[in-house]
Amino acid sequence: MGTGDKINVFPSRMILTVMKTRLKGAQKGHSLLKKKSDALTLKFRATLKKIIENKTVMGDVMKAVYFSLAEAAYAAGDISQTVIQNADKAQNKIKFTKDNVAGVQLTNFTMHSEGSDVYQLTGLGKGGMTVSRCKETAQKAIKLLIELASLQTAFITLDEAIKITNRRVNGIEYVIIPRFENTIAYIVEELDERDREEFYRLKKVQDKKKIIREKQKQFLEEYLKKEEAEEAGASKRAEPRNLLETEHDPDIMF
């Protein structure tokens, strides 16, 4: 019998066909999941590379933001109260979109602006150019932060998807496929053993039939010989007298 973990089934030709079909399906599924894992890993590495690049750029951008904010505060004075007073409705908003990567939905954040710029008159008295430059630098930092958040979210999602896919791939490769293969080997071995037993049984039946035919032939030959002998003896005893043949009768004495 086949060794290893196998499915408890009754060995038959039909079950063998079913097991082969299921094995083929498992191998196909393993191949597809392997390709999915490779695609996710490729996207994961590209995302990680972008995160490292964005974080490197983010340090320089935030440094520029604080520097431009200090310049604006020096040129235009304290503008924080003006910013707080004009903060009525969010001008920059974030939209959520979905990207499909090998069946995995990745959330993508994009920023868009609505309405007019409520801070366009800020710094009109003095330091207007410095304030505008500070605002542009801050806008750039916000876009970079949103892109970095999108990349970080995709990074976490891809990491979980890769772990789940790899577990499935390993489960199919090291558990399901060997189980099907062991079951098929067990069924084939049982069917071969059954065929050998059937062949041995048929051979014994043929041998017995051969012996019976030989005995019947021998008995028939002996019977025919006996019949011929009996017919020959009977023909000698019952041979008729020839009337044309002259025979000397013995003399009769009175």
Side-chain angles (χ1 to χ4, degrees):
M1 296 176 62
T3 59
D5 187 21
K6 63 179 182 295
I7 303 173
N8 293 325
V9 294
F10 180 76
S12 64
R13 302 287 180 186
M14 184 180 68
I15 299 298
L16 179 62
T17 304
V18 172
M19 287 294 109
K20 286 183 177 180
T21 304
R22 294 179 66 181
L23 175 61
K24 188 175 181 181
Q27 291 172 345
K28 184 66 175 178
H30 176 267
S31 176
L32 293 175
L33 286 176
K34 191 69 176 176
K35 291 179 181 178
K36 178 180 178 180
S37 177
D38 294 340
L40 292 177
T41 304
L42 187 63
K43 181 67 175 178
F44 180 81
R45 291 175 180 174
T47 304
L48 180 60
K49 184 179 179 181
K50 287 183 180 180
I51 289 175
I52 295 173
E53 292 176 353
N54 283 18
K55 284 187 175 181
T56 304
V57 175
M58 194 67 196
D60 299 334
V61 171
M62 293 305 295
K63 188 186 299 183
V65 168
Y66 282 109
F67 185 74
S68 63
L69 183 61
E71 285 182 342
Y74 178 77
D78 188 10
I79 59 174
S80 60
Q81 293 300 324
T82 304
V83 172
I84 293 173
Q85 290 175 4
N86 293 329
D88 182 22
K89 186 178 180 182
Q91 181 183 356
N92 296 324
K93 295 185 178 180
I94 299 175
K95 282 186 176 180
F96 297 89
T97 57
K98 294 288 186 179
D99 292 337
N100 191 342
V101 179
V104 178
Q105 299 292 330
L106 300 180
T107 304
N108 188 21
F109 304 140
T110 55
M111 187 184 75
H112 69 285
S113 300
E114 292 181 355
S116 60
D117 188 5
V118 296
Y119 304 110
Q120 59 184 353
L121 300 178
T122 304
L124 184 61
K126 57 178 180 178
M129 185 179 295
T130 307
V131 173
S132 298
R133 186 164 58 247
C134 178
K135 183 173 61 175
E136 291 175 358
T137 308
Q139 288 279 359
K140 183 179 179 182
I142 291 173
K143 288 182 180 180
L144 195 59
L145 279 172
I146 293 172
E147 184 180 355
L148 186 60
S150 178
L151 291 173
Q152 290 279 20
T153 305
F155 179 85
I156 295 173
T157 305
L158 286 171
D159 186 40
E160 291 297 326
I162 288 172
K163 288 180 181 178
I164 294 173
T165 304
N166 287 338
R167 282 198 294 267
R168 290 176 180 175
V169 169
N170 293 333
I172 293 175
E173 182 176 359
Y174 297 107
V175 178
I176 295 177
I177 290 179
R179 183 179 298 169
F180 286 151
E181 290 176 346
N182 292 334
T183 304
I184 290 173
Y186 161 72
I187 294 174
V188 170
E189 192 170 350
E190 287 294 323
L191 291 177
D192 290 342
E193 182 68 23
R194 192 180 300 173
D195 290 340
R196 286 193 293 269
E197 291 177 357
E198 184 68 15
F199 176 76
Y200 179 77
R201 187 185 67 82
L202 292 176
K203 187 176 180 181
K204 294 297 290 183
V205 170
Q206 292 294 331
D207 292 341
K208 288 185 177 180
K209 287 183 177 180
K210 185 178 179 180
I211 293 173
I212 292 173
R213 285 196 300 269
E214 290 178 352
K215 287 183 178 180
Q216 290 177 349
K217 183 179 179 181
Q218 184 178 1
F219 176 78
L220 183 60
E221 291 177 353
E222 291 177 355
Y223 178 77
L224 291 176
K225 288 181 180 179
K226 185 177 180 181
E227 287 290 327
E228 290 177 357
E230 290 179 355
E231 289 178 359
S235 61
K236 288 182 179 180
R237 288 194 301 270
E239 185 176 355
R241 181 179 178 183
N242 191 355
L243 298 176
L244 300 177
E245 185 181 24
T246 58
E247 184 177 355
H248 177 71
D249 294 331
D251 295 333
I252 299 175
M253 298 298 293
F254 293 99

